[in-house]
Amino acid sequence: MPEAGVLTLLLLPVAAATGWYLARRSAGASGRETAVNADYLRGLGHLVNEDADKAIQVFTRLLEVDHETVEIHLALGNLFRRQGEVDRALRIHQNLVARPSLDDQHRNQARYELARDYLRAGMLDRAEDLFQELTQQPAFREQALAGLVGIYEQQHEWAQAIAVTRQLEAARGHSLRAVIAQYQCELADEARKRRDFVQARRYLQEAYAEYRECVRASLMQGELEEQQGNFEAAARSYRRVVEQDVEFAGEVIEPLTRCYERLGRSQALREFFDQLTARYDGPAPRIAMARLLAREGRRAEALAYLAQALQARPSWIGLDQLLQLAPRAPEPLQSSLEGLRAALKRVTEASPRYQCSHCGFHARTLYWHCPGCRQWNSVTPLKDVVPKIV
């Protein structure tokens, strides 16, 4: 809950609007004007004394709900909801909905705001009922459908989210197939956890049918095939990721390496890294190539290759890998190198690996649904660590 002083400041515009309204209504009504002015001054006194609840009671009593004042009531309720004062927002919007004199447009607006209050308060059933009713009102259909989608996402009701998103797609007039594909992936993930791999594959195929560029579906397909020992099929799925979005190349290097090693296809893996290096300017494929050379017993060649790559494109994780591959140095240089390795390890372990392109949210884990802005398909891998400057 906001501090009383902050809430008082937020109520000042409402007090000003109330004063303007009363000035208009009291013109020519001298007998009632004195009582109105006294109540208005009493409301201001409550604000001065930082008693927001009493101030609300006074101003809502003074503001008769009509076509001139309903917008003030709506603004006040929305203000409280944004500040986390959901109970107060509910009180104001419920009062508006109960007014028999309200026109249909303002009543539906109040019902929509009330549904948002319920949603904020966690009363999802009530919010869902109101949103469902408002889908029948053309002026509020799009907003109500979006509200329903948000509810079904919270409840992990992915089938319902798909059905309503198709309606929302028609209302907005542009494709939401990339989002629907994510819902199919959620269903596939639930099936995989139940070990219903046949159903999981079906959902992933539906995700592809919705959106051929769905990176998540390819990654999940690769994981599923790899778990089943189908390494050739898994490798095809992982390689498809690079064709869909090369920015996710770093996500497939390790699993693809596992698959090719199980298949005994080191040459194919080396060719893949060469091709990826030409398309992707991040350090991940160059580091992977250096590791491959080191595993083959060609450590000196690996060091030379990585050092040359770092000269062309410096990177923190590339330097970290170079130090790991470097042979043991004589004392006292070895102590200095160990200190540098430890410092770089702290940097790489503490730095985020992913960032949302919509809100800037950083994470160490890949989220397909950004926790910050609730956007789908907006979180992408960072090519290098971003050390914090203290």
Side-chain angles (χ1 to χ4, degrees):
M1 303 220 0
E3 295 180 1
V6 175
L7 189 55
T8 298
L9 290 174
L10 294 173
L11 285 171
L12 287 176
V14 177
T18 306
W20 168 84
Y21 169 75
L22 293 176
R24 292 189 57 189
R25 285 303 177 100
S26 61
S30 58
R32 185 169 172 268
E33 183 176 357
T34 303
V36 166
N37 286 339
D39 283 342
Y40 179 65
L41 291 173
R42 190 175 299 112
L44 288 177
H46 291 316
L47 280 183
V48 171
N49 294 324
E50 298 188 352
D51 194 337
D53 281 324
K54 290 183 178 179
I56 293 168
Q57 292 174 7
V58 170
F59 291 134
T60 54
R61 185 174 68 249
L62 289 176
L63 280 169
E64 179 185 346
V65 178
D66 58 24
H67 69 281
E68 291 183 347
T69 63
V70 65
E71 297 294 344
I72 299 175
H73 283 269
L74 288 169
L76 182 59
N78 294 345
L79 176 66
F80 285 134
R81 184 178 61 244
R82 287 197 301 270
Q83 296 301 314
E85 298 285 332
V86 182
D87 289 342
R88 287 169 171 156
L90 282 166
R91 195 161 66 225
I92 290 172
H93 292 138
Q94 286 170 338
N95 178 58
L96 285 174
V97 172
R99 297 277 179 156
S101 60
L102 215 58
D103 62 71
D104 289 343
Q105 176 66 22
H106 283 130
R107 185 180 306 283
N108 286 331
Q109 182 67 49
R111 292 167 70 204
Y112 173 69
E113 300 301 344
L114 183 58
R116 294 177 68 191
D117 295 339
Y118 286 142
L119 190 61
R120 182 71 178 271
M123 293 183 277
L124 302 186
D125 290 344
R126 294 188 182 184
E128 181 181 1
D129 289 342
L130 276 176
F131 283 139
Q132 288 282 11
E133 293 172 8
L134 287 167
T135 59
Q136 305 306 311
Q137 304 296 326
F140 291 89
R141 179 172 173 77
E142 183 180 333
Q143 300 98 305
L145 289 171
L148 287 172
V149 169
I151 290 173
Y152 297 141
E153 285 182 353
Q154 285 190 50
Q155 296 177 323
H156 292 185
E157 297 287 350
W158 305 115
Q160 288 179 280
I162 290 171
V164 177
T165 300
R166 294 196 192 282
Q167 298 177 53
L168 183 60
E169 185 177 54
R172 288 182 174 173
H174 64 79
S175 175
L176 293 174
R177 288 192 164 196
V179 175
I180 293 174
Q182 288 290 340
Y183 297 153
Q184 299 285 6
C185 288
E186 293 287 348
L187 288 168
D189 190 47
E190 291 178 351
R192 181 187 60 80
K193 290 175 181 176
R194 297 193 305 268
R195 302 190 66 77
D196 187 350
F197 302 121
V198 173
Q199 186 61 59
R201 284 188 172 88
R202 287 180 185 150
Y203 284 132
L204 291 175
Q205 288 304 314
E206 290 178 11
Y208 286 130
E210 287 290 341
Y211 185 60
R212 298 299 298 177
E213 304 306 311
C214 185
V215 168
R216 183 183 184 185
S218 294
L219 285 171
M220 291 182 68
Q221 183 76 39
E223 291 169 2
L224 193 60
E225 299 294 353
E226 190 178 354
Q227 288 171 3
Q228 298 294 298
N230 303 322
F231 300 111
E232 189 68 51
R236 285 196 301 270
S237 293
Y238 289 137
R239 293 193 67 150
R240 185 167 56 234
V241 169
V242 177
E243 302 306 318
Q244 292 169 320
D245 190 342
V246 73
E247 295 302 309
F248 284 84
E251 300 300 304
V252 301
I253 285 176
E254 286 191 18
L256 193 57
T257 299
R258 290 195 303 267
C259 291
Y260 276 141
E261 287 181 345
R262 293 295 296 269
L263 293 166
R265 297 178 58 190
S266 59
Q267 181 59 36
L269 183 61
R270 187 178 294 105
E271 290 173 359
F272 171 74
F273 290 152
D274 283 337
Q275 295 168 4
L276 186 56
T277 298
R279 296 181 55 191
Y280 182 70
D281 61 357
R286 296 162 180 82
I287 292 173
M289 178 66 86
R291 287 175 175 171
L292 179 60
L293 292 171
R295 286 198 301 274
E296 293 175 349
R298 301 155 66 182
R299 182 175 292 270
E301 189 177 343
L303 281 167
Y305 173 84
L306 192 53
Q308 184 178 9
L310 282 171
Q311 287 180 349
R313 292 183 177 86
S315 72
W316 288 95
I317 59 175
L319 177 59
D320 179 49
Q321 185 62 40
L322 183 68
L323 290 174
Q324 291 184 37
L325 291 174
R328 184 174 181 82
E331 293 292 347
L333 182 58
Q334 180 60 29
S335 298
S336 300
L337 284 176
E338 288 299 327
L340 182 56
R341 286 192 185 101
L344 276 174
K345 183 178 180 181
R346 289 194 297 270
V347 169
T348 55
E349 289 181 350
S351 298
R353 294 181 56 198
Y354 305 92
Q355 182 176 10
C356 175
S357 60
H358 187 263
C359 70
F361 174 83
H362 286 88
R364 293 278 301 170
T365 302
L366 176 57
Y367 291 95
W368 300 105
H369 194 202
C370 176
C373 62
R374 313 306 296 171
Q375 293 286 317
W376 290 95
N377 300 306
S378 61
V379 178
T380 54
L382 294 169
K383 292 178 179 176
D384 197 11
V385 299
V386 183
K388 295 180 179 180
I389 307 298
V390 181

